[in-house]
Amino acid sequence: MLFDVIVVGAGFAGSVIAERCARVLGKRVLIIEKRAHIGGNAYDCYDDHGILIHQYGPHIFHTNQKFVIDYLSNFTTWIEYQHRVQALIDGSYVPLPFNLNTIQQLFPQHLAMQYIELLIQRVGFGKRTTILQLRELSSEPLLQQLAEFVYQKVFLNYTLKQWELRPEELNPTVTGRVPVVISYDDRYFADEYQMMPKSGYTAMFHKMLSDQNIHYLLNTDYQDIVKIDFINKKIQLFGQEFSGLLVYTGKIDEFFGYCFGELPYRSLHFAFEHLPQIDSYQKVGTVNYPNDYSYTRITEFKKITQQRHSGTTIVREYPQRYDRHKAGADIPYYPLPQPTNEKLYQQYKNLAATWSNVIFVGRLAEYRYYDMHHVVARALHVFEKEILPKFSNQ
Ligand SMILES: Cc1cc2nc3c(=O)[nH]c(=O)nc-3n(C[C@H](O)[C@H](O)[C@H](O)COP(=O)(O)OP(=O)(O)OC[C@H]3O[C@@H](n4cnc5c(N)ncnc54)[C@H](O)[C@@H]3O)c2cc1C
C-alpha cells in the first residue's frame, strides 16, 4: 500500500489530522482535495491588486482554548487583531454586538439611560444574553420595547436574508452567536485569544502540510480515485484495495450517496471590489446591513490583515440557497441548524458509526456550525482519542 491514511478535504479538519498522522505517527498520508488549493474555506490569497483577501469570506481567528493557539503556533506567527463590527441602523453606523454604546448612539439620552439601568438591573453589568432570552425576560414594558427594537432592527431582517428563516425558527445557538452585551465592550468576539496568522492562512496550511510523508492531490474529487463498496465495507484507492484509514471531511450525506435525503445548506455569493487610491473604505473590518440592500455585510480586508496598500479591496456577501447542481450556488457554506435537519444528520451519523475504518470530522462531515478553533480542537481530539489508539493496536 502506498499510503496508510487517506484524507478527503484540505481544510482545517483534514490538514490537522494529516499533519498529526505524518509527524506524530510517521504515516504516509494522501490528501485529496477537489478545489485547486489547500486551506478549505479559510483559504486566502493575493488579488490582482496585491491585497490579501479571503476567497470564501472573512475569517477571524478567536478562541479561549490555549492549546489550539499553541498547536497552530507551530506553523505561524500571529498579529493581534480584535474584530469590530458596525451595523447600519436607521441611517446610523452603530457598534455590534448590540451593547450599551449602541443604545447611547441610537436613543435620546434620557431614554438610553433608562434602558441601560434596566438592563443592568435585570441582566447584570458585564453579562451577555441572547435576543431571544431578552425578549422572554422582558415583563417590564420599557425593556419589552427595547427588546422588540433590537429584534426588529438588528436580528429579524438579517436572519431572513441570511437563512430565509426567522430567528426563532433556528437553533438558538445560531442567533446566540451575536449576543446582546450589557457593557461598553464593543469587540465582536469576547475570546481571550483574537489574532490573525501573520502571513495568512494559506501560508500556515503550507507549513502544516510540508512533511515529506504528506502528499496532496488538488482538483480531484475523491470519488474519482476512491471507490467505496458499501455492501462489503471495502475501500479501493486507484483500483487497489486500501486497508488503511480514511478520514473524511466532506459532506456526510454525499459520502453515503444521499441515501436518507439531502442535508440542507446555505450558500453565498461573494462580490469583490477593488478601490484604487482609497486607503480606507469603512471605519471597521465589517459593516452589517440588516435592513438595507440585498447583501448582508461588507468586509474590508486591510482592516483585518493590517496590510498597507494605497488601495483597498472589499467584499459584499449575498446569501443564497445551496444547490449542488447549480454552478455558483454549489458551495455548502453553512449547515442549517434546525431540529428536522439534526434528525436527518443523526441517521447519517448512525450509519457512519458502522464504518470502523472511516472517520468523519469537520464542519461538513459532522453537520455542525463550527468555527475554525472548534474544528482544530475537534481534529486534535479525534486524533488523540480515535486515531492514535487504532494505530497503537496494530
Ligand atoms: C463565510 C464564512 C465565514 C467564516 N468566518 C469565520 C470566522 O471569522 N472565524 C472562524 O473561526 N470561522 C469562520 N468560519 C468557519 C470556518 O470556515 C470553518 O470552521 C472551517 O473552515 C471548517 O473547516 P473544515 O475543514 O471542517 O471544512 P472546510 O474548510 O469546508 O474544508 C473541507 C474541504 O473538503 C473539500 N471537499 C469536500 N468534498 C470533497 C470531495 N468530494 N472530494 C475532495 N474534496 C472535497 C472541500 O473542497 C474543502 O476544501 C466561516 C465560514 C464561512 C462560510
Side-chain angles (χ1 to χ4, degrees), residues 83-96:
H83 195 43
R84 284 196 162 69
V85 175
Q86 290 183 335
L88 179 63
I89 295 183
D90 291 347
S92 300
Y93 290 96
V94 295
L96 201 74

Side-chain angles (χ1 to χ4, degrees), residues 12-13 33-34 41 58-60 221 254 363 370-372:
F12 267 105
E33 169 55 61
K34 69 177 174 189
N41 284 343
H59 276 67
I60 290 97
D221 192 310
E254 176 182 320
R363 217 183 203 214
Y370 283 146
D371 278 333
M372 294 180 281

Side-chain angles (χ1 to χ4, degrees), residues 305-377:
T305 59
Q306 295 159 48
Q307 186 183 353
R308 288 183 183 196
H309 195 290
S310 57
T312 195
T313 299
I314 58 170
V315 66
R316 293 182 174 81
E317 287 177 45
Y318 297 85
Q320 57 181 347
R321 282 183 193 174
Y322 167 71
D323 181 345
R324 68 188 166 99
H325 301 295
K326 190 170 154 195
D330 55 352
I331 300 185
Y333 283 109
Y334 297 107
L336 236 156
Q338 279 186 303
T340 42
N341 303 340
E342 181 57 27
K343 252 188 176 167
L344 181 56
Y345 164 67
Q346 283 302 329
Q347 284 184 275
Y348 284 113
K349 191 180 170 192
N350 293 340
L351 191 54
T354 66
W355 283 74
S356 59
N357 54 343
V358 184
I359 287 180
F360 296 81
V361 58
R363 217 183 203 214
L364 302 169
E366 296 179 79
Y367 200 64
R368 284 284 170 273
Y369 197 160
Y370 283 146
D371 278 333
M372 294 180 281
H373 64 103
H374 296 127
V375 176
V376 174

